[in-house]
Amino acid sequence: MKKLSFFAATILIVNVAFAQSLDEVKKYVLLRQTKPAKEAVDKYLAIEKNTLKPDGWYYKGYAYDLTSKDSALSITAASAIKTEAFNALEKYFQLDPKAPLSIEENNSLLFDLYVGFSSDLGVKAYTQKNYEVAFENFKKAVEVHDFIYSKNLVGANKYKFNGIDTTLILYTAIAANDAKKKEDAVIFYKKLVDANVADTQYVDAYQYLADYYKTKKDSVGFIGIIEKGKKLYPKNIDYWTALEIEQATEGVEKPAIFGKYDALMAKYPDNYILPFNYSVELYRYIYSDEMKTANANPYKEKLPEILKKAIAVKSTPEANFLMANFLYNNSIDISEDARKIKGPKPSDLKTRKELEANSAKQMNDAIPYAEKVVSLFADNAKPKGSEKVNYRQALVILKNIYDVKKDAVKSAAYDKKIKEAQ
């Protein structure tokens, strides 16, 4: 029994000596013997006095980084081990800010962890549609990047990070959004916006935040992001204006909403989408149930004025069709009003004659707009479904107008086109 106790004590002394030896840790690390290296560094740092020495933490980072690359590990397990490796390296830099061990190796461990969290684990998790895990790894890669940058560390071939890794930040934001972590997505998209990134692939950051601030009813944040979006992405002006319209008119009932449009048009006189959307709202209001018992004439007079401004900026099939459709329908409405006047008085006859003339004018005015729809459709190699519908309806309008005009030749020509379009 005494010999056994002495033998056990001897083993304990040997183990303590082993745990205290950093040379053993270095040996296993340099030989890339992963399991012995991790066990040795854990034993070394289990001794309190060794935790005050920087080198042990550097080699822990080394051993744990090696361990994290085991292909048998899950993404989550590998990420947890890489996180311990990074924490160990942070401790090393804290204890020895000059960090000679890291500098001598071109800070390869830190750069390797950055690649591991982002390109290896983050991308792999995202490909597997494990968005939450992807987000956590991308976020960790951002943390490693920011640490490297804050220390002004240089990698192999004198490689240095920029202040912001825009691609990584974008991936992190996308993964956060896909993981239903909207507030986290906002944090990372905001990093891109605050950096005034203007490349086209990052426009989503501005659009995401604009929609976010609009939904949150944060008018200050919304106006700020809209103005920045217009400045950095002027080609997307229609998008920014559309959002501004939505924000300005949300919850505003007709006809009060028209005043909002007037104010926006005064602010952006050369914008197409404002007068076009305004005209759509007017058209819907004119033919709404509410206006069946009200005077729609002021709005009927205003609609062509507004729509002409849209067409002057951009002559689109949609705007031209809306104008043709409104003028044609309005001519029919005016004609109906004329027929309702049955009295024989000179004033009645005068009014009826004026209405009939106005009806004929409205119908004639519709012709060039309907023809423009037809000509634009002919130039469209890949028309959308809605464009095909508008094209057929424009042909119907033209046929009906020439029926009223008793122009059989033109009516037959458009009738043929209608059948061909079916």
Side-chain angles (χ1 to χ4, degrees), residues 175-246:
N177 184 59
D178 288 342
K180 311 301 181 187
K181 292 177 173 287
K182 196 174 186 70
E183 297 299 326
D184 287 308
V186 168
I187 290 171
F188 287 94
Y189 276 129
K190 196 170 184 300
K191 288 179 183 290
L192 295 171
V193 170
D194 289 345
N196 295 318
V197 178
D199 190 279
T200 53
Q201 66 178 311
Y202 300 107
V203 67
D204 286 351
Y206 296 81
Q207 294 178 347
Y208 189 95
L209 288 180
D211 184 69
Y212 173 80
Y213 290 131
K214 183 172 76 69
T215 302
K216 288 285 186 179
K217 301 188 184 304
D218 180 346
S219 58
V220 175
F222 179 80
I223 292 171
I225 199 69
I226 288 293
E227 292 305 316
K228 185 172 280 193
K230 288 177 181 177
K231 180 181 178 181
L232 298 176
Y233 297 91
K235 291 183 179 179
N236 296 74
I237 187 65
D238 284 351
Y239 178 84
W240 306 122
T241 306
L243 275 183
E244 197 169 3
I245 293 170
E246 289 178 18

Side-chain angles (χ1 to χ4, degrees), residues 252-258 280-282 284-285 290:
V252 182
E253 298 295 331
K254 299 180 185 70
I257 196 173
F258 302 137
V280 171
E281 293 285 3
L282 282 166
R284 290 172 178 169
Y285 189 56
E290 180 182 348

Side-chain angles (χ1 to χ4, degrees), residues 12-232:
L12 179 61
I13 292 169
V14 170
N15 283 341
V16 169
F18 171 76
Q20 290 175 331
S21 174
L22 190 59
D23 288 339
E24 290 291 329
V25 176
K26 293 179 184 178
K27 179 183 74 174
Y28 289 124
V29 165
L30 293 174
L31 291 173
R32 303 182 73 83
Q33 294 183 6
T34 306
K35 186 176 180 181
K38 183 177 181 297
E39 291 174 350
V41 79
D42 285 343
K43 288 178 181 178
Y44 177 81
L45 290 173
I47 298 173
E48 187 175 355
K49 68 176 183 179
N50 290 341
T51 63
L52 303 177
K53 301 173 183 178
D55 290 10
W57 293 103
Y58 180 78
Y59 284 105
K60 177 177 180 177
Y62 210 132
Y64 273 64
D65 185 40
L66 284 175
T67 304
S68 71
K69 297 180 180 183
D70 187 341
S71 60
L73 293 172
S74 67
I75 295 176
T76 301
S79 180
I81 296 171
K82 281 187 186 296
T83 299
E84 287 200 57
F86 177 56
N87 292 341
L89 292 174
E90 284 187 304
K91 183 72 173 178
Y92 168 68
F93 273 82
Q94 179 186 342
L95 293 172
D96 188 353
K98 292 184 178 180
L101 293 175
S102 187
I103 302 299
E104 287 170 9
E105 295 185 348
N106 295 314
N107 305 295
S108 59
L109 273 179
L110 284 166
F111 281 96
D112 190 62
L113 285 170
Y114 162 82
V115 173
F117 279 120
S118 58
S119 299
D120 296 339
L121 301 183
V123 171
K124 184 178 180 181
Y126 192 87
T127 302
Q128 295 176 358
K129 298 185 178 180
N130 195 342
Y131 302 126
E132 187 164 350
V133 172
F135 165 66
E136 293 300 331
N137 279 281
F138 286 139
K139 184 171 71 169
K140 200 67 185 179
V142 173
E143 188 179 339
V144 176
H145 168 278
D146 291 349
F147 179 81
I148 292 172
Y149 182 77
S150 70
K151 300 294 183 184
N152 197 30
L153 300 178
V154 180
N157 299 317
K158 297 182 179 181
Y159 177 77
K160 293 182 72 172
F161 278 145
N162 293 321
I164 179 172
D165 186 332
T166 54
T167 301
L168 176 59
I169 295 295
L170 179 62
Y171 288 171
T172 309
I174 291 171
N177 184 59
D178 288 342
K180 311 301 181 187
K181 292 177 173 287
K182 196 174 186 70
E183 297 299 326
D184 287 308
V186 168
I187 290 171
F188 287 94
Y189 276 129
K190 196 170 184 300
K191 288 179 183 290
L192 295 171
V193 170
D194 289 345
N196 295 318
V197 178
D199 190 279
T200 53
Q201 66 178 311
Y202 300 107
V203 67
D204 286 351
Y206 296 81
Q207 294 178 347
Y208 189 95
L209 288 180
D211 184 69
Y212 173 80
Y213 290 131
K214 183 172 76 69
T215 302
K216 288 285 186 179
K217 301 188 184 304
D218 180 346
S219 58
V220 175
F222 179 80
I223 292 171
I225 199 69
I226 288 293
E227 292 305 316
K228 185 172 280 193
K230 288 177 181 177
K231 180 181 178 181
L232 298 176

